[in-house]
Each structure stands twice: as structure tokens, then as C-alpha cells.
Amino acid sequence: MAARAPFASPLAEELAGDVLERFLRYVRIDTQGAPRARRRPSTDKQLELSRLLLGELRELELDEVELTDFAAVFARLPGTVDAPAVGLIAHVDTTPDVPGGGVEPIVHEAWEGEPIVLPGDDHQVLDPADLTELAARVGHDIVTSDGTTLLGADDKAGIAEIMAAVAYLARHPERPRAPIRVAFTVDEEVGRGAEDFDVASFGADVAYTLDGSGLGDLEVETFSAASVRVTIRGHSVHPGTAKGKLVNAVKLAAALVESLPRDRLSPETTEEREGYVHPHRIAGGTEEAVVDFIARDHDDAALERHLELLHDLADEVVRKEPRARVEVEVRQSYRNMRPYIDENPRVVEAALEAIRRAGVEPRLAITRGGTDGAVLSAQGLPTPNLFTGGQEYHSVREWASVQDMAAAAATIVELATVWAEPA
Ligand SMILES: [Zn+2]
């Protein structure tokens, strides 16, 4: 039997039981969103968890507990001192990419370091030889699914941590704290988490999403992102009489994709701060074909260059086949939050200090994706992303360490205290 790993701090240890109990309860509720749905939320089942949280927040006697007309749960915990109001944000939905109903969480207590074979599908193995973050957590209490579904730590770990932290703060009015604003949003995984989010009625001066991963990470940079649709119009003719007339949009679309750089500028060849253009969908026929791309970079100027490249490659299609018509539509998705966060350095300093007080070494990180915080930051609410302790998101091998989740909850409590202190 491996010795059980210690907690990051006495506060983390005190919070661990509540965080785990909540987490196990929340992940059993199926909250998958649906892509390309018009309605909001994209699925009604997300609101099952939202309603449960409304009830629990009312039991904790938080103020102004409500379901907003953009389907977010809002609540307020008054401060004990006059200080900036701190927003805490997580999302109730889970990714539609992996089965998410009927989650049966398993707690591997004081895990001894052996490969974890998930009992619902013995092809699904969490092998510490492949997973360095897992290998570093011998002795931790590791939570997994049974291997047939995702776990849902993204983002129910964040929700459980916020709830446990807020419950603790409400029970300890003697502890100085800044005013707290809580928000649980829907449809983050389908890119609509911050849609219609009313920053003014939320009433926070600064905010943090609890939607990160590795212990101690504070993400202050996201990608800037755009989506691009290239529509190629050919000329369809019966193949029996097509000589000299047919202009085949299928072949032109294939040539466009083929003309992309091979060894760079793609998700599969880049990491860290390297951006990319990524064709993720192709559809059509001889008359018309559509290629959908996403373009990503941490640097806005570099993103513009990636978009220019796509324009150039699209122009090249018409240069080679002047009878074709090509249309390029660009839609900006979100911006790197870094410049907005840099305007208020205390947002980062306070979080780093709170992580330290929770007994964890903080680490500034970048994310190769977007967050709700990127959208909110651009709207004037600086919102970096804090770790939750979940790992291997969007897969049936998703796992979370109870010790790390408890450290995240302790970080939130400390954050309320740090913001209550004079700047
Ligand atoms: Zn998430």
C-alpha cells in the first residue's frame, strides 16, 4: 500500500472531502452540449446541473442567486471588507466529442503507481509510463471514469472547487474576504460560453475561470482565433460530355488542401507559441466545394499573416483554373487576452500569491486554445484561467487528482483573502 500523498496545505486538506463529494455528484449528471445548435442552451440537460447549483447556492445563503436569461447561474457572496469584487467562473457543459452520459466515477485511493485499467473497457489504460503528470502522482487519490465515458472534470472540477470554496468562505465570516461573484455558464465547449454574458450585471471587477488543468498553472495567454470558409465554385457537366467543359470543384478543393505547408503551421506539427491554419472540414461536389479552416496564433500580427496565406492559396486556385470562382470568408472568433490582462497586473499577482498560500508553486502558462475569459477580457473584465487538477480532457481517459482539486479550492479561498488586502 502506497503512503497517501499529503495535501498542499492544511486548508486544502480541510476542503478535500467537500470538493470530492461535490465532484462525484456533479459528474453523474449528463451535461453534454450540442454543436451547431441554434438554441441556448444547446441542450436542456445542462440546466439539470444549473438548477442543482441554484439550490445549493441558496442553501449556502448566497445573495441574488438566479438563472440569467443567457442561462448562466449567478450568485453573490458579500465581502467582509470594501475591496474589488472577484468573479469565479466555470462551465456546466461537457464536450460533445466523447460519450458523456452515465458517468460512473471511480476513486483510486492512494494510487500505488501501477497502470490503471479502466474496468468498462480494458483497452483504456492510464499508463504512468506515457503520462508524466500521472507518474508524478503516486499516492494521490485519482478519479477516473469506467473508461466508457469522459469523466467531466472539464469543468465539473472547477464547479466543485468554486462551490467548496464559497461554502467555506460563507461558514467563516471571521476570515477577511473580498466580495465574490459566482457564474456557472453553459455551452463553453461549443464555443458559446461567454455569449450574451452580461458583464455589468455580473458586477465583478476582476475574474478567474476555473477551467485549466495542471497543478499551479495560471493561464494568462490564449490564442487569437479566426475561422475561414473557402467556397470553390466549379462547373458541373455530365461526365459523358465533359471534355473541355467540366471544372471539378472537388479536385480544386483537394489541390487547395494539398498546397498547405506540410511540416509547419498545422496543429500536428506545432506546439507552445507556434500558430497554425487547420482545415477541419471539407464538403461538396463537382459544382461547389467548401473547405472550413480555423486559424490560430498568440500573436495577432502572425494570425493576420496566416489569414493572408489562406487568401493567397485561394487566389492560386483561380490563377491555375480561371474558370473557377473562389470566395474566402473570415470570421474573427476571439483575441489573446494577454494585452487586456497586462492593463491590470494585480489580477496576475494576486492569483500567483493565492496559489503560493495554498501551498503550491505557481506557474504562468499559455493555452493553445481559447477560454470564456478571452472573450470577457476583451469586454473589459480581465479573466485569466486557473488550474483545476483535471487531466487528459476530452477523452475517456480523463482523470483528476483529489489532492490537486483540493489545492485549487484552497487557492480560491486564498484569492478571496488576497483581494481583501490593500493593493
Ligand atoms: Zn473547459
Side-chain angles (χ1 to χ4, degrees), residues 327-374:
E327 209 179 287
V328 180
E329 288 166 76
V330 176
R331 219 165 37 94
Q332 301 290 345
S333 308
Y334 52 84
R335 287 283 165 215
N336 188 349
M337 63 179 156
R338 184 66 187 258
Y340 307 105
I341 286 173
D342 284 347
E343 286 172 25
N344 190 344
R346 196 180 169 200
V347 176
V348 172
E349 286 157 20
L352 296 177
E353 176 61 17
I355 295 169
R356 266 182 228 112
R357 289 188 195 180
V360 176
E361 186 60 40
R363 198 169 57 168
L364 278 178
I366 60 170
T367 170
R368 288 175 63 79
T371 63
D372 282 352

Side-chain angles (χ1 to χ4, degrees), residues 91 154-155 188-189 211:
H91 61 89
D154 180 9
D155 187 20
E188 193 273 347
E189 298 290 0
D211 196 13

Side-chain angles (χ1 to χ4, degrees), residues 232-237 246-250 284-289 325:
I232 300 172
R233 290 198 178 81
H235 183 60
S236 183
V237 179
L246 172 67
V247 179
N248 190 346
V250 171
T286 49
E287 179 74 20
E288 182 182 293
R325 290 287 164 269

Side-chain angles (χ1 to χ4, degrees), residues 14-37:
E14 187 176 347
L15 293 166
D18 192 27
V19 173
L20 179 60
E21 186 272 323
R22 289 176 186 279
F23 180 68
L24 296 177
R25 208 144 41 81
Y26 302 157
V27 297
R28 288 175 191 275
I29 301 170
D30 177 3
T31 56
Q32 277 190 306
R36 288 180 287 278

Side-chain angles (χ1 to χ4, degrees), residues 394-408:
H394 299 197
S395 98
V396 297
R397 292 172 308 283
E398 195 185 356
W399 59 275
S401 149
V402 175
Q403 279 77 357
D404 293 358
M405 289 196 288

Side-chain angles (χ1 to χ4, degrees), residues 97-174:
D97 297 344
V98 179
V103 174
E104 286 293 338
I106 302 168
V107 184
H108 308 262
E109 280 182 38
W111 172 63
E112 296 192 46
E114 74 289 355
I116 301 173
V117 181
L118 300 178
D121 176 356
D122 55 19
H123 293 293
Q124 302 298 344
V125 180
L126 279 70
D127 189 342
D130 306 327
L131 302 169
T132 48
E133 293 292 337
L134 183 63
R137 282 167 177 75
V138 174
H140 283 229
D141 303 321
I142 304 292
V143 191
T144 66
S145 76
D146 70 357
T148 62
T149 67
L150 46 71
L151 174 61
D154 180 9
D155 187 20
K156 287 160 186 167
I159 294 177
E161 291 152 10
I162 292 172
M163 290 297 292
V166 169
Y168 178 91
L169 289 166
R171 277 199 311 272
H172 291 273
E174 76 287 355

